[in-house]
Amino acid sequence: MSAIVWYLDRGAALLTYPALYLAVLTGILYNTASFGTLHEAARRVHVELSVFAMLVTLLHAGLGVVDAWFVLTGQVPEPAYSMPYFVGGLAVGVGALALLVVAVLGFTDPKRFERPWGPRVVHSFAYAGFAFGTIHAAAIGTDVTGLIRPLLGPSLVLVVYVLLLRVLVLRGTFSSAASRQ
């Protein structure tokens, strides 16, 4: 039974991170028309991608709790790394989940958070949740360590680049610099 839970948990995790990544990336592109075709594509898929990402995140969280219970109660062998590292990785995962749930609550019930809890603040929670999720994936995703350097690093650089580009466009810095040339 514990092996089945572990495989389902890992499968959910392997779906969760790319789904959250795409939800963040399309969210950055969603409200910035100057991204052109990428903006239009993001407007078509962002909400659905975000809902899917949250559903698989909740699945992974539920299975992760059961899997962690098996480890902490000694029903399965400890992971190859130390228990404090395992517990720390779990704590970061719980933090990521909490931040993402706040973002989802803000999205599903906009009146729940009156000012200053506007969309920017709620999305900031989503970005922070994604950052915590990234740390969680890198810390506990020991079965995918071969992907961390070649895939995780460059993909995070892309998200940061697009986010910074969006900030520059929204502040007019990028467009005013282009118009001066």
Side-chain angles (χ1 to χ4, degrees):
M1 176 66 168
S2 62
I4 293 170
V5 169
W6 186 85
Y7 281 115
L8 289 173
D9 185 31
R10 297 313 299 146
L14 292 172
L15 284 174
T16 297
Y17 191 79
L20 287 172
Y21 177 85
L22 290 173
V24 168
L25 189 59
T26 58
I28 294 169
L29 301 169
Y30 188 86
N31 286 324
T32 311
S34 59
F35 282 113
T37 304
L38 295 174
H39 163 72
E40 293 302 320
R43 292 191 65 85
R44 284 193 292 271
V45 300
H46 174 66
V47 172
E48 292 81 1
L49 254 173
S50 297
V51 169
F52 175 74
M54 199 62 217
L55 289 174
V56 293
T57 298
L58 292 173
L59 175 65
H60 171 55
L63 291 166
V65 165
V66 175
D67 186 39
W69 177 258
F70 288 150
V71 171
L72 295 173
T73 60
Q75 295 179 40
V76 297
E78 291 182 8
Y81 44 87
S82 70
M83 282 304 287
Y85 190 80
F86 177 74
V87 172
L90 290 176
V92 170
V94 168
L97 180 64
L99 290 167
L100 291 170
V101 166
V102 168
V104 168
L105 289 175
F107 174 75
T108 57
D109 186 8
K111 293 182 182 181
R112 177 184 306 268
F113 302 114
E114 297 299 327
R115 291 276 178 217
W117 289 88
R120 290 191 193 274
V121 173
V122 170
H123 279 91
S124 294
F125 275 101
Y127 294 147
F130 177 70
F132 271 75
T134 299
I135 294 166
H136 171 74
I140 297 211
T142 57
D143 53 336
V144 291
T145 53
L147 294 176
I148 290 174
R149 276 198 184 137
L151 192 60
L152 193 64
S155 65
L156 289 177
V157 167
L158 176 65
V159 165
V160 170
Y161 173 75
V162 171
L163 184 59
L164 290 174
L165 188 59
R166 179 176 184 246
V167 168
L168 290 174
V169 167
L170 291 178
R171 289 192 176 169
T173 307
F174 186 71
S175 61
S176 63
S179 65
R180 283 183 279 188
Q181 292 179 351

